[in-house]
Amino acid sequence: MRKHLSVLALYIRSTARWILPLLAVTAAAEGALLSRPITPDNGSYMDLFLYSEQCHMEWACLGFFLVLMTLLCLSGTSYGSRTDYTLQRLSIRPQTAFLWQSVCYCIWITAFWALQVLLLVVCSNRFLLTTAENVGPQTLLTRLYQWDFSANLLPLACVIRWIRNILLVMALGASAAYFSWQQRKGSFGFTVILSVLLCVFAFLQTANLFLTLLGVIGALLIMAYVVIHIVNGKEEDALEALRQDTTAAAAEPPL
């Protein structure tokens, strides 16, 4: 088990130098966007709709999300010599390495999701505190739930949307890792594009049961495709790809 945790820690360290600065920039940029003054029309918490429309958080979230997925895909296409050497020393099967790479990517995507929820709740609560009415957490959550983007981002009591969001995170993580897998073999992992499009569609559409179920089915199909191709992939091809990466890294002059 320690060997597997070492692989997960290796992937987290190799991506943290890119993802942590992105999360910091996202928090600063979206926090500034959500904190800018917006004058209510009548001093009522009903103006949260006006607030949500004027801050355009969903489009800022979309932009940073696309950057996040790009960094995750590119960070796995060309490992440094230290990462290659560690994977070879641990004698990890390529399928196992793919699994932990997917878990690592899911962790970062979940962190991005949690950051969006935190920013939305904190800044919306700050807006409501400036209104004339005395509102509590229940009022805040109720108003947020009536905004399509926040209702998809934070489903509250809607279990099917929680399931869809979790499956989307898993599909995005597996697709980004599969993109890296395919790139190291000289192919293109197109499933990451489908996963991103499905996620954007799911979070920007008007929440209803039919579209939510489509998101669930789409995420399951993408994961099934990736898993089938990884499990049924030729072992010798995967080992050869990893061996070529290791050989190329070893040929590089030391820093």
Side-chain angles (χ1 to χ4, degrees), residues 128-142:
L128 291 178
L129 290 176
T130 63
T131 64
E133 298 185 13
N134 184 18
V135 297
Q138 185 175 1
T139 302
L140 171 63
L141 294 177
T142 300

Side-chain angles (χ1 to χ4, degrees), residues 7-29:
V7 175
L8 177 60
L10 182 68
Y11 282 122
I12 292 177
R13 287 196 302 269
S14 66
T15 52
R17 58 177 178 172
W18 304 106
I19 307 304
L20 288 179
L22 174 65
L23 294 179
V25 172
T26 301

Side-chain angles (χ1 to χ4, degrees), residues 185-212:
K185 295 174 62 177
S187 302
F188 182 78
F190 66 91
T191 54
V192 68
I193 298 178
L194 297 180
S195 298
V196 169
L197 291 177
L198 180 63
C199 185
V200 172
F201 169 76
F203 278 85
L204 295 184
Q205 50 93 11
T206 301
N208 63 68
L209 180 60
F210 176 73
L211 295 178
T212 302

Side-chain angles (χ1 to χ4, degrees), residues 4 7-8 11-12 14-15 72-79 87 94-108 172-174 176-182 184:
H4 294 278
V7 175
L8 177 60
Y11 282 122
I12 292 177
S14 66
T15 52
L72 289 178
C73 290
L74 296 181
S75 65
T77 55
S78 180
Y79 299 134
L87 289 175
Q95 284 81 358
T96 304
F98 168 82
L99 172 63
W100 289 116
Q101 186 180 11
S102 300
V103 172
C104 170
Y105 288 176
C106 288
I107 291 174
W108 288 124
L172 288 167
Y178 184 66
F179 179 87
S180 304
W181 172 287
Q182 290 294 89
R184 294 196 298 273

Side-chain angles (χ1 to χ4, degrees), residues 11 56 67 121 234 250:
Y11 282 122
H56 302 295
V67 175
V121 172
K234 294 182 179 179

